[in-house]
Amino acid sequence: MLNQRYPEVFSSDQEDYAEVQNVDSKNVHLIGSMEKWEAKLLEATRDGKIVIANFSASWSRPCKSMTPAYCELADKYTSMVFLAIDVDELAELSKSWDIKATPTFVFFKDGRQVDKLVGADKSDLQQKITAMDESHPFYASGWT
């Protein structure tokens, strides 16, 4: 892992990850453990909220380029839960969701995966989130 070879650049501490990725939103929750992942998914399911999980890597330029847009969307769509997962820190979780490239955005509703977006396409991410927004007419009719 890169953080073992370059600890001064790639720290395992989640605050450093947030700083490296420029995570600047109160609605983006950094996931540093399987327990926190499970707790956030359970909480969102219980509250009837949609979850958008951003699987990214601190060393990835496409991931870094998507972070500001992800944070902006998190601030706009506060009825949804936005998660940030470092694929190197939680390799087991990433593997369990078949994450093969970064960034990958996985969408959950009622605890189940309903969609997935691979790559750094801000427009596609915006469209998928807008489509899932509870106030959006498509969502109200059951379209996902």
Side-chain angles (χ1 to χ4, degrees):
M1 277 190 351
L2 288 173
N3 61 346
Q4 291 171 340
R5 282 189 236 147
Y6 304 102
E8 67 281 356
V9 177
F10 300 102
S11 172
S12 63
D13 182 55
Q14 287 295 300
E15 288 180 14
D16 288 346
Y17 171 74
E19 188 175 311
V20 168
Q21 291 288 22
N22 285 324
V23 173
D24 186 25
S25 172
K26 291 181 182 180
N27 196 31
V28 175
H29 307 276
L30 301 175
I31 303 301
S33 68
M34 291 294 285
E35 293 79 20
K36 189 167 183 183
W37 166 260
E38 291 166 2
K40 283 294 182 187
L41 265 186
L42 184 62
E43 178 184 332
T45 300
R46 184 189 66 228
D47 296 341
K49 293 186 174 189
I50 291 174
V51 174
I52 298 98
N54 175 8
F55 288 86
S56 62
S58 59
W59 46 264
S60 166
R61 286 185 188 206
C63 292
K64 288 180 183 181
S65 75
M66 286 298 290
T67 300
Y70 189 68
C71 290
E72 186 178 308
L73 290 166
D75 289 340
K76 181 176 180 180
Y77 295 95
T78 56
S79 66
M80 297 180 184
V81 177
F82 289 76
L83 307 178
I85 301 99
D86 184 320
V87 297
D88 292 324
E89 292 298 318
L90 289 176
E92 177 186 341
L93 178 63
S94 302
K95 186 176 180 182
S96 73
W97 288 104
D98 199 32
I99 305 301
K100 296 184 191 290
T102 59
T104 295
F105 302 90
V106 183
F107 300 80
F108 297 89
K109 180 180 173 189
D110 299 323
R112 293 184 340 255
Q113 179 179 331
V114 294
D115 206 349
K116 188 179 206 177
L117 173 65
V118 179
D121 190 320
K122 294 174 187 175
S123 177
D124 280 355
L125 181 61
Q126 166 84 47
Q127 288 173 1
K128 285 184 181 288
I129 291 172
T130 300
M132 291 190 164
D133 183 25
E134 291 181 345
S135 64
H136 195 278
F138 288 123
Y139 184 91
S141 66
W143 183 85
T144 56

